[in-house]
Amino acid sequence: DLSRMTLNLNGTASDLNVGQEQADALLAGELALNVDLAIADQVVTVRQSSIEGPAASIQADGTLSGTSGSMDVSGRITDLATILAGAPPGALGFEAQTTRDGNVWGFDVSTNGQAIALSSNGTIIDPTGPIPTAQATIQGALSDLSVFSELADRRLSGSLDIDASGEATADLSRFDIDATLSGANVTTGISELDAALAGALSAEIKAARDGAAIRIDTARLASDLVSVNAQGELGPVNSAITLDARLANVAPFVPGFSGAATVNGTVTQLEDARLALDLDATGPGGTRAAISGDTAFDASQLSLDINGRAPLGLLNRFLEPRSLAGDIGFDLRLEGPPALESVSGRLSSANA
């Protein structure tokens, strides 16, 4: 039943196969084995053990019991592309330590490679219990996001730095997080998102939950084109988020138009999984609109009043050599799914 075992290996092996593609790739070629393993009375001891090969090396040393102990593991992957398709060629080193004190497990992990440098440490309380609780800090520098293209199933590029700390239960019924992110030239293969993230990128989130309410102290995203700020509370009925967003230029999203656009106001939690909107928007050329009403969480059903004014001159580039002057006013009702047939209301012109 393997409750007691002693294993001593000192020799070589070739092309070990364990039936897992990435592991098999790391175990390819001539391997030098030095393993000293003992299991007895729920105590696992690994003494100065190592596996060295052309694709990877790993070292382990430590003792873990049912109540205490520590284990150190370190190693090096010769070429990260061996296990992560699309990754830039180069080595990745890693170090990890786990400790145990009763039902509290500690961890300290770091990696260092050409495109990835990560470090994280913290504790996990009762990891096999019904609701484990984790506390951790994470710092990371991802100089080439293409490393993650295979995982994301799309071509990524750019760089990101992250600094985060916090604690959370496994079911997220309670959490407290504080994270900042900065990046440059991030692309995802989604043209609209790439336009929004272009250039310098920064983000910050400070949020907590203890019960039904999620408190957002700070939620901020900024790029060369987009800035979004939000704060407030979500969860209980009548809790609300205040939103302030700005698009420096609508041209990447609305061909033929240029200029800034803004949206600000509040989003309030209602009963029956609906949200109340009270927003003011501005757009190029003095366009302005007020939006009020409510929507389903997934925006599948809308009940909104939209009214405002826009200058007719915005259409002149499509009408050359003719031109329009004056404003057009709109007083619209959107009732139902987000489709043209759900819109009713009236338009009016002034000084045209």
Side-chain angles (χ1 to χ4, degrees), residues 73-100:
V73 179
S74 61
R76 182 177 185 271
I77 299 173
T78 305
D79 187 352
L80 185 59
T82 302
I83 59 171
L84 203 58
L92 178 71
F94 59 91
E95 296 181 358
Q97 182 187 65
T98 184
T99 60
R100 183 173 188 179

Side-chain angles (χ1 to χ4, degrees), residues 158-302:
S159 63
L160 284 176
D161 292 333
I162 185 171
D163 189 344
S165 62
E167 61 178 298
T169 55
D171 62 358
L172 297 182
S173 62
R174 182 174 59 82
F175 62 78
D176 191 339
I177 58 172
D178 186 345
T180 59
L181 177 147
S182 61
N185 304 315
V186 174
T187 65
T188 64
I190 303 172
S191 58
E192 294 84 358
L193 184 57
D194 292 347
L197 299 179
L201 175 69
S202 65
E204 180 182 8
I205 180 72
K206 294 182 180 180
R209 179 180 184 180
D210 190 1
I214 297 175
R215 188 186 75 252
I216 301 174
D217 295 325
T218 301
R220 179 185 60 83
L221 172 69
S223 71
D224 290 355
L225 187 64
V226 176
S227 65
V228 180
N229 289 275
Q231 62 182 20
E233 189 176 273
L234 277 179
V237 173
N238 295 324
S239 59
I241 294 290
T242 300
L243 176 69
D244 187 356
R246 185 177 189 274
L247 183 63
N249 192 352
V250 301
F253 308 101
V254 188
F257 293 89
S258 63
T262 66
V263 176
N264 61 77
T266 58
V267 179
T268 303
Q269 175 83 54
L270 301 178
E271 296 178 339
D272 301 323
R274 295 187 70 82
L275 297 172
L277 305 182
D278 186 3
L279 304 173
D280 292 311
T282 66
T287 300
R288 63 185 186 277
I291 305 165
S292 61
D294 61 89
T295 172
F297 269 15
D298 60 2
S300 60
Q301 291 291 321
L302 306 171

Side-chain angles (χ1 to χ4, degrees), residues 9 12-33 35 51-52:
L9 291 176
T12 61
S14 297
D15 298 322
L16 291 181
N17 191 310
V18 298
Q20 205 281 331
E21 182 179 358
Q22 283 79 13
D24 291 345
L26 295 178
L27 294 173
E30 186 80 10
L31 303 174
L33 307 177
V35 179
I51 300 176
E52 307 280 346

